[in-house]
Amino acid sequence: MALTRREFLLRSFGALGAATLAMERFGMTDVFAQAADYKALVCVFLFGGNDSDNILIPYDNYSQYAVKRNNSANVGIPQASLLQITPSSGLGGAKFGLHPSLDGIKSLWDLGKVAILPNTGPLVEPLTRNEYRNRLKRIPLNLFSHSDQENQWQTAVANGFVSTGWGGRTADAIASLNGSATFPMIATMTGNNIFSTGAFRRPLALSPAPSTLSRVIRLDGFPNPPASLQGIPRYDAMEAIQALDDGFTVVKAANQINASTFSTMEALRSAPDPVVSPFPLSPRTGLGNQLEQVAKVISLHDALGLKRQIFFCSIGGFDTHGDQVNGNDPTTGQHANLWATIDNAVKAFYDATVGLGVQNNVTLCTMSEFGRTYVPNGGLGTDHAWGNHVFVVGGAVNGGNFYGVPGPNGTVFPTLAAAGPNDTDNGSGARGRWIPTTAIDQVATTLASWMGVANADLAGISPNIANFSTANLGFMS
Amino acid sequence: MIGENGLAAKLLFYSLVAIMGVTDAGNSYAAVAPKATEAEAVRFLQQASWGPNKATIQKVRQQGIAAWIDGQLKARPKTYPNLRFYPESQPENCVDACARDNYTYYQLQKHFFTNALTGQDQLRQRAAFALSQIFVTAQGAVPMPAWMRTYQQLLYDNAFGNYRELLFDVALTPSMGRYLDMLNNRCQTPVPANVNICRNGSIAQPNENFAREILQLFSIGTFMMNQDGTYQTDGVGQPIPTYDQAKVEEFARVFTGWVLAPPLRGVGGDVPNYKVPMVVRRNSQNQEMHHDRGAKTLLNGAVIPAGTDAEVELNLAIDNIVSHANVAPFISKQLIRHLVTANPSPAYVGRIAAIFSANLNSANQLGVVIKAILMDPEARTLPDAAVDPDAGKLNEPVVFMLNFLRAFEAKSDGVLNGGSRGSAAMNQDVFRSPTVFNYYPAEYEVPGEPNLIGPVFGIFSTQTTITRANFINQVLFSGIPVSQPNTPKGTVLTLKIWEDLADTPVELVDRLSCWMLHCTMSQDMKTIIVNAVNTVPVTNLLLRAQTAIYLVATSNHYQVLR
């Protein structure tokens, strides 16, 4: 039976009808008072598929990891170079090791500010290996495909196509907590993305530092900030034209983006200078610049009247099919450099939140569209896999532990074995692609709860949440 | 009198013949007036060229749309600059212009823009750029412009050619081999070893990158389609995948054993050969070294027997892919999206897919398809918001920029990609898209309209809207200044004829409505602009003209083609 795209999308949502209705509710302005406290969520997306098997490595059980990842021709990180951490419960006191690039995150782990969610990924419903291999349960669409898996991480829907992300839907759900503030709750430092897109609210796209925030949206040919542009005939005419769409939907949608741009521009022009020092990163990095700008926008939240903010940042380059490490020293190379960038930027960001006194109000989490094959390929690289490890950083995190749903070995950390109990694959060609035991859906609802979404509304954040054992993984205090 | 009527009748007859002559598949077009009005010509050229200007509007009106297209199908392509092949590691003495020209994409981008502004083969350029957004390669993994030049020239030369041949050529172009890891891909050594399957392989399975993307992006997509581009569903209403992981792995085995042809004589010595197609590595006994010679099962159960040579196998695999029913609607839909509308009706897609399929073996298949896309009634009909409010296509940055520059007869050195107001700042860095998924996602939805596709909205944000306006502000009010050595001539518009109209703002705005918006500007918008123009003193005619043009160009009525 043939479907147009419209029908197709509606049908793939058919099983999620209740959630659709829940989402539509968010359009109504609930009359809540503005929240008393301040919270911000910062999501950092690692594009390309992060080889998290090389970021969090068993230390006591290193020999398991080393079966396929420690001979001279491949990508293994030597045990001696690991930064040791011990999760506080659920793993029997076993020691693990962080990749040597993560010294900043390690120091935050020691302060109890980091939680790790091993083997997380898109799921429609929990899956054992047998259920996956024999198709006894529903599995996510288009596994191992970058674009589809990115979408599933950002939308928390693995069995259909949705046009909104869980960040955007969270913003829709708690919009009233920002009272009458008109400045957008969500800002992206890295262009449009589906995570930030809500049903009713669009994200603000900003340029990263060192662009000055008051001028980051600056219309040339008009006076400099802080003067308002209202009253200048050409500007007024632009605004008036923005209200005309001649009945065409596409023009109207574009107009709304312009309108949002202009109102944000006016707000930033009159906001005070942020009191955030440039990050101590030399040279500047892309992610560092993004997080520095995030810190600046966070510093203005009072001036902008915001009690809740959500941010999206990204770093690319993780699709390491080849040359993931330097052959003669696997602790160096492309993947190590990417994580050094992340580590430095995240540490500098945490320190900036301390400087602003909001370290207990700001939570940062990482995401990546998939992990990579535990068994490398022939080119010092790894290929597309599935479950991967998520890092959550901040003062409100119940740090120092691993969280999630235990898998077949009784813990949240997967068994690193090709054709083992966590592997999608079988036989001598098995690559070690871990079936996630924790769903991104559950991570989304946990963070959304922390941000203030009521329990009854969590199905609007993650439409499939009822399929899973818990909507709150417990890593937020 | 009789003579004139006879002439008109003759023109009508020949034009109809010209239209009918391209209906290889036996389809007929709705009656298209042989001569276009100015508004029709403007709108058509916004679809089929980089933007209308006086010369092309005149030609389209004289020849008629069908004949103009035919002329374009025959126009010879220009060549990208012939860049010398430098070594990948930059010599110490290659600095300044040498570094700019041979280690950045400056020359390729400059040529792209200058050719767009002045080249005669406008439709070919549009088609080639559309193909470059389907068969994506980008500087991310293709560092040298000379390597990318080979690839872009291939797409440009074959923009009106045969899809199957193009797919084959794309597969063997070394830039693509490097971009998606088919280059040097090796078979997996079987256990126990067997040199008849894999003579010199690796312990791991072959890289899957190219196998996955040739299916997902270059040919059939991820879900089964009907011929009209709608999705098929199974018994419980779920979409049906076109392939699974196992199939990707089979194709990955096909795409093994290929390496660069012997080194080229480049600058300073031999350099890797990113000029000619990849070749199969064989040893001195002419045996394949890295190709997987085992049997393979491809799409629709087709089996390639064991012992098949790599060259034969690649041809069989390409044939296998191209024979899949999804190719016609998948590719047709994308070409329609790049040229005409982001949301074609299933009937429109079906008509084009039929022509694609009927011409599968024609040397000029893509030319026929592109002509059909532009001549289709759905493309040629001016949308009416009362009937079809969802019509309209947000223009991508280079289309927006070039339309504006051509409309105002810009003189430019083509240095338009970089800087704070270039296409890169609008998130379309030419030939340098962030991933193989192009500058923007192919199925990005119009914000707030869940079931309406608007791919360019993927790069239309609160930042890039401002950049678009700032580009207009710069070229319109001051021009892009000369800055040696990299901006040798700058960019400046020709505004005299508009200045001359600026003391009669109503007439000025009426003309701009037709020149830029194919006469669709509403009375409300005209009034707003006329009032804004009237706030500028009549003694400053240039500023009055600029004010009016600025307001049209920055409006979403200009950003969105309808």
Side-chain angles (χ1 to χ4, degrees), chain A residues 84-100:
Chain A
Q84 295 174 42
I85 60 173
T86 309
S88 57
S89 72
L91 286 123
K95 283 207 282 280
F96 287 77
L98 293 173
H99 185 288

Side-chain angles (χ1 to χ4, degrees), chain A residues 378, chain B residues 185-190 198-204 289-291:
Chain B
N185 204 14
R186 290 191 177 202
C187 49
Q188 181 178 33
T189 308
C198 181
R199 181 162 301 274
N200 185 348
S202 83
I203 20 163
M289 293 298 286
H290 311 306
H291 172 233

Side-chain angles (χ1 to χ4, degrees), chain A residues 132-466:
Chain A
Y132 171 82
R133 292 192 58 76
N134 294 306
R135 296 293 188 266
L136 301 174
K137 292 267 177 72
R138 293 169 293 169
I139 70 171
L141 297 173
N142 295 324
L143 282 170
F144 318 118
S145 149
H146 286 290
S147 56
D148 296 277
Q149 295 306 302
E150 283 165 24
N151 279 359
Q152 291 174 21
W153 271 83
Q154 293 185 29
T155 61
V157 174
N159 60 334
F161 297 101
V162 191
S163 50
T164 58
W166 61 267
R169 296 198 292 276
T170 301
D172 287 342
I174 56 174
S176 57
L177 297 181
N178 274 345
S180 54
T182 53
F183 196 89
M185 184 187 300
I186 302 196
T188 157
M189 301 299 143
T190 183
N192 286 342
N193 54 82
I194 197 168
F195 170 83
S196 306
T197 305
F200 303 101
R201 281 153 195 97
R202 310 279 154 266
L204 171 64
L206 294 175
S207 293
S211 300
T212 315
L213 205 50
S214 63
R215 302 197 203 198
V216 79
I217 297 183
R218 189 196 184 298
L219 203 55
D220 289 345
F222 292 96
N224 278 325
S228 167
L229 302 182
Q230 310 275 349
I232 300 174
R234 187 155 57 96
Y235 182 80
D236 286 347
M238 280 180 89
E239 283 204 319
I241 292 171
Q242 263 170 32
L244 304 174
D245 54 50
D246 297 352
F248 284 103
T249 317
V250 180
V251 178
K252 180 161 140 214
N255 282 345
Q256 282 170 345
I257 292 171
N258 283 53
S260 174
T261 306
F262 279 29
S263 76
T264 307
M265 177 171 64
E266 294 284 315
L268 287 173
R269 287 169 80 98
S270 55
D273 278 334
V275 287
V276 172
S277 313
F279 282 9
L281 303 175
S282 181
R284 283 182 169 276
T285 62
L287 184 62
N289 287 341
Q290 291 178 36
L291 288 173
E292 185 180 313
Q293 200 73 297
V294 169
K296 289 182 177 171
V297 180
I298 287 175
S299 77
L300 293 178
H301 74 266
D302 275 335
L304 298 171
L306 299 172
K307 292 298 190 183
R308 293 288 185 272
Q309 289 182 291
I310 300 177
F311 297 94
F312 186 85
C313 301
S314 76
I315 171 171
F318 286 87
D319 195 21
T320 50
H321 285 282
D323 295 324
Q324 180 174 314
V325 304
N326 284 337
N328 46 2
D329 180 3
T331 66
T332 63
Q334 191 180 341
H335 197 225
N337 292 342
L338 288 169
W339 270 95
T341 297
I342 294 174
D343 186 75
N344 291 340
V346 168
K347 179 66 168 57
F349 177 73
Y350 179 83
D351 291 342
T353 61
V354 171
L356 293 171
V358 294
Q359 69 272 30
N360 296 335
N361 309 75
V362 179
T363 301
L364 180 149
C365 81
T366 65
M367 295 194 277
S368 189
E369 67 257 43
F370 37 68
R372 305 190 76 84
T373 53
Y374 162 63
V375 179
N377 61 35
L380 278 186
T382 48
D383 298 311
H384 300 182
W386 188 356
N388 66 103
H389 310 323
V390 165
F391 285 76
V392 190
V393 180
V397 174
N398 290 329
N401 205 3
F402 298 173
Y403 295 85
V405 178
N409 65 20
T411 77
V412 299
F413 195 84
T415 302
L416 303 180
N422 289 95
D423 194 358
T424 58
D425 300 348
N426 200 22
S428 61
R431 301 297 303 279
R433 295 186 236 248
W434 315 134
I435 301 168
T437 46
T438 302
I440 177 61
D441 309 46
Q442 300 169 283
V443 180
T445 49
T446 306
L447 289 167
S449 282
W450 176 71
M451 287 288 277
V453 177
N455 283 343
D457 295 338
L458 290 178
I461 304 302
S462 298
N464 285 331
I465 195 63

Side-chain angles (χ1 to χ4, degrees), chain B residues 182-427:
Chain B
M182 179 169 154
L183 174 63
N184 297 330
N185 204 14
R186 290 191 177 202
C187 49
Q188 181 178 33
T189 308
V191 173
N194 181 347
V195 298
N196 291 324
I197 301 275
C198 181
R199 181 162 301 274
N200 185 348
S202 83
I203 20 163
Q205 286 176 319
N207 190 301
E208 296 164 10
N209 212 359
F210 184 67
R212 187 182 304 283
E213 308 312 348
I214 192 177
L215 298 175
Q216 179 166 350
L217 298 175
F218 302 169
S219 61
I220 59 178
T222 46
F223 291 120
M224 294 295 295
M225 281 179 169
N226 299 304
Q227 288 303 296
D228 63 4
T230 57
Y231 291 105
Q232 298 178 15
T233 53
D234 61 17
V236 291
Q238 289 298 298
I240 303 169
T242 41
Y243 57 88
D244 58 9
Q245 174 59 22
K247 201 58 55 186
V248 170
E249 290 173 18
E250 290 292 86
F251 274 99
R253 295 171 54 214
V254 171
F255 301 129
T256 52
W258 295 85
V259 299
L260 296 177
L264 281 179
R265 185 120 280 262
V267 175
D270 281 350
V271 295
N273 195 332
Y274 279 86
K275 189 172 181 187
V276 307
M278 297 190 289
V279 299
V280 179
R281 170 165 280 152
R282 289 187 164 81
N283 62 14
S284 50
Q285 285 108 308
N286 208 32
Q287 296 159 322
E288 288 177 352
M289 293 298 286
H290 311 306
H291 172 233
D292 182 319
R293 292 174 67 81
K296 303 170 186 74
T297 308
L298 303 184
L299 301 171
N300 295 325
V303 172
I304 298 187
T308 306
D309 281 351
E311 294 92 344
V312 175
E313 186 167 273
L314 181 65
N315 270 295
L316 291 174
I318 297 292
D319 286 338
N320 174 258
I321 292 171
V322 175
S323 68
H324 191 286
N326 258 37
V327 174
F330 183 78
I331 296 293
S332 298
K333 205 163 159 182
Q334 301 217 57
L335 290 173
I336 295 173
R337 282 190 175 152
H338 278 292
L339 296 176
V340 172
T341 170
N343 297 281
S345 69
Y348 184 12
V349 176
R351 290 191 288 271
I352 305 304
I355 291 173
F356 186 100
S357 297
N359 287 279
L360 210 51
N361 299 316
S362 305
N364 61 346
Q365 176 194 24
L366 290 173
V368 174
V369 167
I370 285 169
K371 178 168 181 177
I373 287 174
L374 291 166
M375 297 290 294
D376 192 278
E378 198 158 312
R380 299 277 42 82
T381 309
L382 182 68
D384 176 351
V387 167
D388 187 12
D390 291 343
K393 167 180 178 306
L394 177 60
N395 279 328
E396 59 199 300
V398 303
V399 168
F400 157 67
M401 292 166 73
L402 288 164
N403 263 266
F404 185 73
L405 294 173
R406 283 172 61 88
F408 295 98
E409 311 289 342
K411 306 269 177 290
S412 171
D413 54 17
V415 182
L416 296 165
N417 187 74
S420 59
R421 301 170 192 97
S423 57
M426 300 178 205
N427 289 6

Side-chain angles (χ1 to χ4, degrees), chain A residues 3 5-6 163 192 205 207, chain B residues 230 390 443 445 457 462-463:
Chain A
L3 296 181
R5 185 182 168 80
R6 286 177 184 252
S163 50
N192 286 342
S207 293
Chain B
T230 57
D390 291 343
E443 304 251 300
E445 292 174 343
F457 278 94
T462 50
Q463 279 293 187

